[in-house]
């Protein structure tokens, strides 16, 4: 059921459907967590950023950790989706490798700065956060392992180690590119890293890539 939005738009006092309000709160929390980290972020600031009262914020999220986890899980799912689509979108393994690398560069280059929660969280000692961050890696590795096992005829341990290597080089290279202020165009950076990865994987195993 829709609710009336007052003249101050999405600000304090505006009435929104629950799903729209939740999305608004998550967007505000993303800005605050990305800028300040978990420990320095406050629910007061998040509520103010969203233009709502603290009681409204707590109606949707009982505490700061629950709000943080809702965002982190959302971003982990998004990264997993990107990598899985990279594997499923084509049967050309050279293109798959490039798409997988590109998935990480696109993820860190997103204006939402979602990568800060997944790759740079200041709450890594929290078991729930550790599990979510580990899932970001393991889900991507699983998707790539399945493809390598099917196409290269490798057993699961060897295919998984190759997948870990591809995920690792993609993530580290993407973060290094971002930290270096994007001195190379993203397309060129992706091409460099995917060429390196393809020469290693495609050169050592009978993966198919039509010319």
């Amino acid at each position: 059921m829709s609710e009336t939005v007052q003249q101050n738009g999405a600000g304090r006092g505006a009435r929104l459907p629950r799903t729209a309000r939740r999305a608004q709160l998550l967007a505000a929390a993303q800005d605050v967590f990305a800028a300040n980290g978990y420990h320095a972020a406050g629910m007061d600031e998040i509520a103010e950023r969203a233009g709502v009262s603290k009681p409204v914020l707590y109606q949707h999220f009982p505490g700061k950790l629950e709000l943080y986890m809702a965002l982190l899980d959302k971003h982990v799912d998004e990264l997993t989706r990107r990598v899985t689509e990279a594997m499923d979108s084509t049967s050309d393994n050279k293109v798959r490798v490039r798409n997988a690398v590109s998935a990480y560069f696109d993820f860190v280059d997103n204006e939402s700065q979602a990568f800060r929660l997944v790759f740079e969280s200041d709450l890594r000692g929290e078991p729930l956060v550790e599990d979510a961050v580990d899932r970001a890696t393991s889900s991507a590795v699983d998707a790539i392992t399945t493809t390598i096992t099917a196409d290269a005829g490798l057993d699961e341990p060897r295919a998984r180690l190759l997948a870990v290597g591809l995920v690792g080089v993609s993530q580290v290279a993407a973060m290094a590119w971002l930290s270096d202020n994007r001195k190379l165009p993203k397309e060129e950076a992706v091409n460099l890293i995917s060429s390196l990865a393809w020469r290693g994987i495609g050169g050592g195993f009978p993966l198919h890539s039509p010319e």
Side-chain angles (χ1 to χ4, degrees):
M1 182 175 64
S2 297
E3 297 178 354
T4 302
V5 178
Q6 296 180 357
Q7 289 183 349
N8 58 348
R12 191 179 304 278
R15 296 178 60 82
L16 298 172
R18 184 172 181 83
T19 53
R21 178 67 78 193
R22 180 182 171 87
Q24 177 198 24
L25 296 174
L26 287 171
Q30 174 62 39
D31 290 343
V32 174
F33 284 133
N36 302 334
Y38 178 83
H39 294 293
M43 294 295 268
D44 285 332
E45 183 180 1
I46 293 169
E48 182 66 28
R49 179 69 63 93
V52 302
S53 64
K54 278 181 69 176
V56 169
L57 179 57
Y58 281 112
Q59 284 174 9
H60 291 263
F61 302 99
K64 186 166 74 167
L65 179 59
E66 289 80 5
L67 178 52
Y68 189 85
M69 287 306 305
L71 274 172
L72 181 56
D73 285 337
K74 175 187 174 191
H75 298 328
V76 168
D77 289 344
E78 171 66 14
L79 179 58
T80 299
R81 181 190 64 78
R82 287 175 183 268
V83 176
T84 300
E85 287 182 354
M87 295 296 101
D88 294 343
S89 62
T90 178
S91 61
D92 183 333
N93 283 298
K94 186 175 182 180
V95 176
R96 280 173 169 161
V97 168
R98 190 192 186 286
N99 288 350
V101 173
S102 183
Y104 281 87
F105 276 79
D106 289 343
F107 185 69
V108 305
D109 197 34
N110 191 287
E111 64 182 12
S112 74
Q113 299 190 65
F115 74 92
R116 295 197 182 278
L117 274 68
V118 180
F119 299 147
E120 297 181 342
S121 176
D122 60 344
L123 198 60
R124 293 296 293 268
E126 165 60 47
L128 289 174
V129 173
E130 288 281 3
D131 288 347
V133 172
D134 288 347
R135 181 166 61 86
T137 298
S138 62
S139 296
V141 168
D142 287 346
I144 297 170
T145 298
T146 300
T147 299
I148 292 177
T149 301
D151 285 10
L154 294 177
D155 58 23
E156 196 273 344
R158 289 175 175 80
R160 177 166 291 274
L161 193 57
L162 284 174
V164 169
L166 179 57
V167 167
V169 73
S170 299
Q171 178 181 324
V172 171
M175 291 296 292
W177 170 78
L178 189 68
S179 297
D180 202 29
N181 298 315
R182 303 176 175 89
K183 288 181 180 176
L184 287 180
K186 182 169 65 174
E187 192 78 5
E188 182 180 349
V190 169
N191 286 340
L192 279 172
I193 300 304
S194 59
S195 293
L196 171 67
W198 175 248
R199 286 181 185 132
I201 297 175
F205 305 95
L207 295 178
H208 170 65
S209 178
E211 296 298 334

